[in-house]
Amino acid sequence: MKSIAILLVLALALLVSARPIDNVFEADVRSNLEARQSSKLLVGVGSADITGPIGELTLFGYADLNNLANGIHLRVRARVFIFAASDAPSRRVVYISTDTGIVSVRTKKLAIQGLSSRLSAADAALYSVENVMVSATHTHSGPGGYQDDFLYQVTNWGRTPGAREAIADGLADAIAQAHADLSEGKVTLTKGALTNGSINRSKPSYLNNPASERAQYSADVDQDMTLLAISTADGSRLRGVVNWFPVHGTSMNVSNHRVSGDNKGYASYRYELEQKLKGNPTFVAAFGQSNAADVSPNTEGAHCTDTGAECDGGKDSCGGNISLCLSRGPEYDIGGDTRSTEVIGERQFLRAKTLVESPIAPKSLNSAAIKVDYRHAWIEYPKIVLEGPNNTKICNPAMGYAFSAGTTDNPATGISYQGDNDPNGANKPLWNFVRNLLTTPTQELVDCHQPKQILLATGEMGVPYDWQPHTLPVQLFVVTSKFAIIGFPAEISTMSGRRLRATVLNQLIADKVVDSDAEIVVAGLSNTYSSYVTTFEEYQVQRYEGGATTYGPNTLKAHQQIFSKLAKSFVTGLPAASPAFPLVSAPKENSDINLLSAVVLDTTPSGKSFGDVFTQPAASYKSGETASAIFACAHPRNGGSGIPDNGALTWPGGAKSTFMTVEQSDGKGGWTTILDDALWDTRYLWIRVGSSESKCLLEWKINGSLPVPAGTYRFKIFGINKWIFGTSKFTGVSNSFTVTA
Ligand SMILES: *[C@@H]1O[C@H](CO)[C@@H](O)[C@H](O)[C@H]1NC(C)=O
Ligand SMILES: *[C@@H]1O[C@H](CO)[C@@H](O)[C@H](O)[C@H]1NC(C)=O
Ligand SMILES: *[C@@H]1O[C@H](CO)[C@@H](O)[C@H](O)[C@H]1NC(C)=O
Ligand SMILES: *[C@@H]1O[C@H](CO)[C@@H](O)[C@H](O)[C@H]1NC(C)=O
Ligand SMILES: *[C@@H]1O[C@H](CO)[C@@H](O)[C@H](O)[C@H]1NC(C)=O
Ligand SMILES: CC(=O)N[C@H]1CO[C@H](CO)[C@@H](O)[C@@H]1O
């Protein structure tokens, strides 16, 4: 979250169009543990494009109004894994990793509703909010506009029409695919370290944890990648790979304007492309997110961009200016943030591949007790009282000054710096005044969040609707007696994740729900988003992550208490908490505020039509070079093209709808589509010219990741232009060009 000043001003502006609040209630249905014997493990995999509308809407993550989704580098996808025991298949669990910044409750519900048009009624009824876990990879380059809570909507001007629907459609497609794929599978669990894929970006916080606790770990980030390799029952074909490794999706920086899955999206892309080229096109590789709250992919660390010197460690500033202190990823000097994304993605891809090919201390889930089950509950966090002598209360949501500082992955400007918990700090009177225009925090809220200094009293701001969630979905999966997954509704720090895993695993082992050598992972950013979770000790330092820890200093302890009850409920069969909770106090479905200005009209300069070329590609290129062309085009929020001409469901690179393709000549006047905008090698960028004209830059890095033969090629553009009485589809082609070795 960068532009907090802009955020405050925007929020004030958006409030003008505030609407009344409605309560949406949802009951939680539970069932008892079903432990089974002589069962087989069933697995299904699926994957689909979830890229929503683009064009002058904000990429979600950096909260910077200039960080617009105006093009596509790598399409974002959902990757689905269903696990079931053959003799109790209705207690199946569905783990989904999506290339999104966060997860929206409303989108998840839409996706599950969408199954009714894809599956029989009986089959659709097998899937619910309770047994489907959607976990965001936390890419900061996914198109926004789908978020539920107002704080996360502000920099997207509310909800963008079509944003939730696009993600939900892709999710439903991918679940339906995995459903059809469900069959006996061979599953191997393994774990190995990746030491050069991440660093800790909040060292002063980490160091405030007890020395005795830190001494138990060799690193200040979790370096283990935990991985499931899924093959056909006879082991002859690799069907899918899913792994969990904590690292932020901030390799692409705030200057980026193209949709991208960031480092994890790239890792998935590379593994899936490799298998596709080997004749295994249905293979799915998910690089899932975990306890990454304080973990950066920018492994070169933070330096002053003006002098190259070390930043001032306490404040992460350069001579007092925090916007100069930036961290960079590997090979940034060679190829900028795009190259850093490739390197961090490739390291995760290669680590996963070696773990599949040479697993470390592998465990076969097929020889474990085959039971698959889940627990899910809605918990109103500010109502939680910690068990123990002190009756410690959890706070209503609030964000601190340190939240406005950002991190060294994307420092903010103006209001504060990391570690700022001085109540009389320099800018406080001014910003406290601005804050109070929105809501003056109650004394109870102020006391509860100490030492956090409150910048936004989000928990006490009900207008136009919830700014941050009060009620969170908590979820736990057991996949045989060897493996469990925590569906965690926030970003959680390294040490917090370790404590939570230990709490839950110990409970599951004590109750004999899992074996004593079972593994457990935290699936971060699952099902909704409630900002950050740090340990009590990290919170005291009030860096960015502590400033953004929503429910105060005891947030982690509350999660530990709730998740341990959830774990316990596998044997007691009792509800983990009260039976039903309000979901969010929010507008009725899809009637949230939307102040993004609509596309009114597309025009071309005189003498040009939509799809005409402004700049032709060169006559010839060599392998490794980048071909490009510039076309007259229209606003991309109108959409790209629909289904491909041959009637397939997706274009060759996996795009559901594409803005561009590359075609290859057959030498006899015929052309074959070989690439679309979903591939890493192609890049599409829309540029506004004046009030209604557009230019589109199409690029292709020849033989980048997809090998092509020497030959003759051309670019093709697709789009939809808006005119007074409706819309029209257009296409255009460039001159052809030759490609040589
Ligand atoms: C990164 O780590 C992996 C495994 O941990 C190793 O194989 C690889 O060589 C390392 N890469 C670099 C550039 O150090
Ligand atoms: C801090 O550095 C940024 C980037 O160079 C610059 O734009 C800004 O003016 C500087 N702020 C101050 C207070 O010097
Ligand atoms: C992001 O990376 C690009 C190079 O790929 C660079 O030009 C740009 O200045 C970077 N932006 C920031 C804010 O560091
Ligand atoms: C209860 O409060 C006392 C006094 O503030 C403190 O020393 C003690 O650690 C607290 N106990 C727990 C379990 O938090
Ligand atoms: C692209 O790479 C592949 C394999 O690396 C190679 O066989 C092919 O000749 C290359 N294409 C061109 C045009 O050089
Ligand atoms: C931002 C920061 O302080 N990162 C540190 C995290 O830990 C690594 C390894 O100890 C350091 O090299 C980084 O500087």
Side-chain angles (χ1 to χ4, degrees):
M1 287 282 178
K2 183 179 186 180
S3 319
I4 201 87
I6 298 174
L7 192 151
L8 288 176
V9 173
L10 264 179
L12 280 170
L14 291 184
L15 287 184
V16 174
S17 63
R19 290 175 207 180
I21 301 166
D22 284 284
N23 284 324
V24 179
F25 288 86
E26 187 170 285
D28 182 36
V29 184
R30 287 158 205 293
S31 78
N32 296 330
L33 176 80
E34 296 173 38
R36 306 280 166 165
Q37 280 142 24
S38 72
S39 192
K40 292 207 160 68
L41 185 58
L42 307 179
V43 190
V45 305
S47 163
D49 181 2
I50 55 166
T51 312
I54 62 162
E56 292 181 322
L57 53 89
T58 319
L59 291 164
F60 183 82
Y62 291 123
D64 185 319
L65 291 172
N66 295 316
N67 183 210
L68 294 173
N70 284 345
I72 293 184
H73 187 186
L74 186 63
R75 273 188 181 257
V76 286
R77 299 185 71 82
R79 297 179 171 88
V80 176
F81 296 80
I82 303 178
F83 299 95
S86 63
D87 61 0
S90 66
R91 296 299 293 175
R92 65 189 54 192
V93 299
V94 185
Y95 167 82
I96 309 179
S97 174
T98 59
D99 294 326
T100 53
I102 61 174
V103 171
S104 126
V105 173
R106 287 163 186 282
T107 305
K108 178 177 159 181
K109 286 174 72 180
L110 268 183
I112 290 163
Q113 285 163 12
L115 292 175
S116 60
S117 62
R118 289 166 173 85
L119 303 176
S120 72
D123 284 349
L126 292 168
Y127 304 96
S128 68
V129 167
E130 284 78 32
N131 71 345
V132 174
M133 181 188 294
V134 187
S135 170
T137 60
H138 203 38
T139 172
H140 280 46
S141 292
Y146 56 86
Q147 308 87 275
D148 298 327
D149 296 291
F150 195 61
L151 176 67
Y152 312 123
Q153 289 184 338
V154 169
T155 47
N156 280 91
W157 306 94
R159 175 190 64 91
T160 304
R164 286 182 190 145
E165 291 79 357
I167 297 173
D169 266 4
L171 279 170
D173 285 349
I175 296 172
Q177 257 181 49
H179 174 85
D181 184 59
L182 194 73
S183 54
E184 204 184 321
K186 189 167 168 270
V187 183
T188 305
L189 167 65
T190 177
K191 191 161 106 171
L194 174 61
T195 56
N196 52 24
S198 60
I199 62 163
N200 189 301
R201 70 180 188 190
S202 236
K203 195 107 178 170
S205 305
Y206 184 87
L207 289 174
N208 210 38
N209 290 311
S212 57
E213 184 182 31
R214 285 184 280 118
Q216 296 167 34
Y217 304 96
S218 60
D220 56 10
V221 291
D222 273 347
Q223 296 180 323
D224 275 336
M225 176 181 279
T226 304
L227 180 142
L228 299 178
I230 300 153
S231 308
T232 47
D234 64 1
S236 62
R237 185 177 69 84
L238 190 61
R239 296 167 62 194
V241 166
V242 47
N243 67 72
W244 291 266
F245 174 77
V247 64
H248 249 75
T250 48
S251 288
M252 292 305 296
N253 69 27
V254 71
S255 310
N256 176 38
H257 290 300
R258 292 178 180 90
V259 170
S260 172
D262 209 85
N263 58 66
K264 287 186 179 291
Y266 181 78
S268 290
Y269 168 79
R270 282 290 305 278
Y271 210 160
E272 288 166 1
L273 182 64
E274 183 206 76
Q275 290 294 313
K276 191 175 172 177
L277 295 175
K278 283 184 180 168
N280 188 16
T282 57
F283 171 81
V284 177
F287 287 73
Q289 193 51 278
S290 193
N291 50 330
D294 51 355
V295 186
S296 168
N298 295 317
T299 51
E300 303 300 299
H303 293 94
C304 296
T305 49
D306 52 349
T307 61
E310 296 284 317
C311 306
D312 131 36
K315 291 185 177 177
D316 285 319
S317 78
C318 300
N321 188 335
I322 62 169
S323 49
L324 294 171
C325 173
L326 268 173
S327 60
R328 300 291 192 205
E331 300 188 22
Y332 179 87
D333 295 342
I334 300 170
D337 58 342
T338 305
R339 182 64 197 142
S340 296
T341 305
E342 290 174 346
V343 175
I344 294 297
E346 176 154 295
R347 286 179 188 171
Q348 289 176 76
F349 157 53
L350 292 175
R351 189 69 194 99
K353 197 168 129 94
T354 47
L355 274 174
V356 171
E357 288 161 7
S358 326
I360 298 169
K363 294 185 181 115
S364 163
L365 294 196
N366 307 81
S367 49
I370 306 296
K371 51 184 173 184
V372 174
D373 206 353
Y374 57 89
R375 286 293 183 272
H376 179 282
W378 295 102
I379 308 291
E380 196 172 354
Y381 267 67
K383 293 249 169 88
I384 295 172
V385 177
L386 291 186
E387 286 165 0
N390 295 352
N391 289 327
T392 308
K393 285 167 113 178
I394 302 307
C395 317
N396 258 323
M399 298 302 248
Y401 270 87
F403 159 71
S404 72
T407 68
T408 51
D409 287 333
N410 178 42
T413 43
I415 304 182
S416 191
Y417 56 84
Q418 297 201 73
D420 180 7
N421 54 10
D422 170 7
N424 304 310
N427 291 321
K428 294 264 167 41
L430 169 68
W431 287 107
N432 285 344
F433 173 77
V434 175
R435 171 199 67 198
N436 293 348
L437 292 179
L438 288 161
T439 292
T440 306
T442 60
Q443 193 58 44
E444 190 191 351
L445 193 70
V446 169
D447 293 343
C448 191
H449 281 270
Q450 289 291 352
K452 182 197 282 173
Q453 299 301 310
I454 295 175
L455 175 63
L456 286 170
T458 47
E460 297 178 341
M461 292 153 70
V463 179
Y465 32 81
D466 272 2
W467 279 58
Q468 290 192 281
H470 291 239
T471 301
L472 300 180
V474 293
Q475 197 179 30
L476 193 53
F477 286 178
V478 169
V479 183
T480 79
S481 60
K482 294 276 184 248
F483 192 58
I485 309 174
I486 298 170
F488 194 74
E491 297 188 56
I492 180 167
S493 74
T494 300
M495 195 62 98
S496 303
R498 290 167 177 165
R499 290 186 195 173
L500 180 70
R501 285 197 307 256
T503 301
V504 177
L505 188 59
N506 289 342
Q507 186 66 56
L508 293 173
I509 291 172
D511 293 338
K512 301 199 163 42
V513 173
V514 299
D515 302 341
S516 58
D517 66 344
E519 292 287 344
I520 190 165
V521 292
V522 177
L525 300 119
S526 286
N527 303 320
T528 192
Y529 184 63
S530 58
S531 291
Y532 279 75
V533 176
T534 55
T535 65
F536 180 86
E537 295 84 350
E538 289 164 352
Y539 184 91
Q540 304 308 311
V541 185
Q542 280 297 300
R543 284 175 58 84
Y544 173 77
E545 296 83 8
T549 292
T550 311
Y551 308 98
N554 295 298
T555 304
L556 172 63
K557 286 180 187 155
H559 282 296
Q560 286 176 282
Q561 180 170 312
I562 294 297
F563 274 95
S564 111
K565 287 186 178 188
L566 201 62
K568 184 84 199 160
S569 77
F570 276 107
V571 288
T572 58
L574 291 171
S578 337
F581 297 98
L583 174 51
V584 272
S585 52
K588 291 215 186 304
E589 300 294 330
N590 287 347
S591 61
D592 335 37
I593 283 176
N594 165 31
L595 296 182
L596 186 67
S597 53
V599 181
V600 179
L601 181 69
D602 292 293
T603 60
T604 52
S606 63
K608 292 280 183 202
S609 301
F610 293 105
D612 282 357
V613 179
F614 285 121
T615 308
Q616 292 286 359
S620 73
Y621 294 94
K622 283 195 161 52
S623 171
E625 289 182 340
T626 298
S628 67
I630 299 174
F631 287 81
C633 57
H635 203 296
R637 225 188 303 144
N638 303 334
S641 85
I643 50 170
D645 4 7
N646 64 5
L649 290 178
T650 54
W651 291 89
K656 215 169 174 183
S657 165
T658 192
F659 289 98
M660 67 173 285
T661 57
V662 174
E663 297 183 330
Q664 182 183 14
S665 164
D666 64 6
K668 292 175 272 177
W671 294 89
T672 311
T673 305
I674 55 158
L675 298 105
D676 59 37
D677 67 14
L679 289 107
W680 188 256
D681 302 356
T682 54
R683 303 206 309 170
Y684 164 86
L685 184 68
W686 167 82
I687 301 150
R688 180 189 271 284
V689 183
S691 61
S692 58
E693 288 176 17
S694 305
K695 279 198 294 199
C696 288
L697 169 66
L698 275 50
E699 293 172 293
W700 173 32
K701 184 157 195 281
I702 300 163
N703 253 11
S705 60
L706 182 77
V708 297
T712 302
Y713 297 87
R714 68 180 186 186
F715 285 109
K716 188 166 184 179
I717 189 168
F718 296 85
I720 295 173
N721 60 289
K722 202 156 194 174
W723 51 293
I724 306 290
F725 299 107
T727 57
S728 303
K729 281 192 178 185
F730 68 87
T731 60
V733 290
S734 72
N735 289 347
S736 62
F737 50 90
T738 57
V739 166
T740 57

